[in-house]
Amino acid sequence: MTTDCLHCPLRTRPAFEKMTDAEVSFMRGFKVGELVVEPRMTILMQGSKSPQLFTTLSGWGIRHTLLPDGGRQVINFVMPGDLIGLQAGLLGEMQHSVESVSRMTLCVFSRDNLWDMFKNMPQRAYDMTWLAAREEHFLGDLLATVGRRTAMQRVSWGLITYFTRVEMLDLLEGDVVPMPYKQRDLADAFGLSLVHTNKTIAKLREQGIIELGNGKLAIHDKPTLAALANADTESRVKRPLL
Amino acid sequence: MTTDCLHCPLRTRPAFEKMTDAEVSFMRGFKVGELVVEPRMTILMQGSKSPQLFTTLSGWGIRHTLLPDGGRQVINFVMPGDLIGLQAGLLGEMQHSVESVSRMTLCVFSRDNLWDMFKNMPQRAYDMTWLAAREEHFLGDLLATVGRRTAMQRVSWGLITYFTRVEMLDLLEGDVVPMPYKQRDLADAFGLSLVHTNKTIAKLREQGIIELGNGKLAIHDKPTLAALANADTESRVKRPLL
DNA sequence: CGGAACATTGATAGAGCTCAAGGAACGTGG
DNA sequence: CCACGTTCCTTGAGCTCTATCAATGTTCCG
């Protein structure tokens, strides 16, 4: 029992651009199935040649790189509406792994149909490239954070950025958003040790700026957190959904 | 006096995929001009809405982000054949700046013709998306380096990666490649201070592993450098040229 | 010859890491 | 319903890697 694109629960959310009827019907054909994965499973493996791409229908995941010596760098957090596997689809091989954090439901697309899309539905192809460019933008921001910010700035920046992304998905309740990620995940994203991440979070908590725990993140004092982050405010534009 | 795509000096290099006649003639129409910039000039400014994309015909540049407090994170090194301004072309606004390091010659494309390309030359559109995915891959690797490697690993990884990229452009002479970037640029790429970068390079030099200076980089002992880098070997595939 | 840009080196301090131990929350089985 | 294991979070102590500060050297150009 899979979700028909016609009744896609994501499509109508404010974060996403409107889709034309032609696009929706194309996507119905593009979608070859649905995949449900349990928490902490590997969806795509670094180095693998997956024949499939996915769009996250529900749930939370992580994209990360594994270094030869066992180190782990989180590349991005995966949320509903996010496309994954573009690298495998285009380059032929994943350069990082994708794992589920919560239970996830994924729309499955076949790599073989990608070229069809470029040929027959250029609007969708354009959207896909748009998403790739946006992904690159995110990565650049994270790189600047990890390369040039202090621990306090990294954590502040990371939490604000995360908060804003989730907020746009309409998952905000008061000043609280879901936070399924563990401190281990955050540390690996910010390029910090687990211990130091924990201590930095503790400082923010003591000052009453945030609350974090039990699968929730609350930001009580956003202006202060933003100031600590040494960041410009993100522009919020609608994005296409694939 | 601009270069006709028909006689493009890059197209035939081993790093790039063959182009069909139809593609070449399309590119001739796509190219609206040529731009020459002197060293250390800003080509695209963070936050600007450039109406143009560029492909580097010759010369060397840098993509970097500027933080509000003055910090600078180098995102990537720009070499001949590299496409720049994709973000401005698609997202409408640059998220990082691009500056020249040496004198550069750039092929100029108009953003307005991008959609034409997706509509009428899907093969080229596909190639562009391929490039975007590859760029994302580079960024992910750099992120993992900056986030999870020690200073010695970062410098080793950075020099090897740089060397390999340049090598593929057919610019290798013995074990020497051009290195127009200053230690300041390297430090900002690796997320290290200038002083510490200098001292780390000095160590590699003392051990006879590399030579660096006077606009050249020589790698005398690649296996040792690779071991120090804690990295897997990069796969070398041909890439499209836009 | 003087100045600018870049590279090098030494001294010192501090941010963040590692190690280690304990606490809290939660599910499972007896 | 309690004991126990597992996973995650928290806190303290000590140390190391890297940043910062400061000075000197080098190269090149006008």
Side-chain angles (χ1 to χ4, degrees), chain A residues 219-234:
Chain A
I219 297 190
H220 296 319
D221 187 350
K222 209 166 178 180
T224 302
L225 194 60
L228 286 171
N230 180 34
D232 299 319
T233 45
E234 289 280 322

Side-chain angles (χ1 to χ4, degrees), chain B residues 87-103:
Chain B
Q87 288 196 351
L90 286 156
L91 306 186
E93 189 170 301
M94 288 302 289
Q95 311 293 344
H96 55 254
S97 299
V98 183
E99 97 173 21
S100 60
V101 167
S102 69
R103 167 185 270 250

Side-chain angles (χ1 to χ4, degrees), chain A residues 63 129 136 148 187 192, chain B residues 63 72 129 136 148 187 192:
Chain A
R63 303 200 291 136
T129 313
E136 193 198 325
R148 286 292 167 221
L192 295 171
Chain B
R63 303 200 292 136
R72 173 176 177 260
T129 312
E136 194 197 324
R148 285 293 167 223
L192 295 171

Side-chain angles (χ1 to χ4, degrees), chain A residues 6 77 107 154 170 196 229 238 242:
Chain A
L6 215 51
F77 299 115
C107 301
R154 292 186 210 188
D170 246 13
H196 201 61
K238 293 200 179 210
L242 257 158

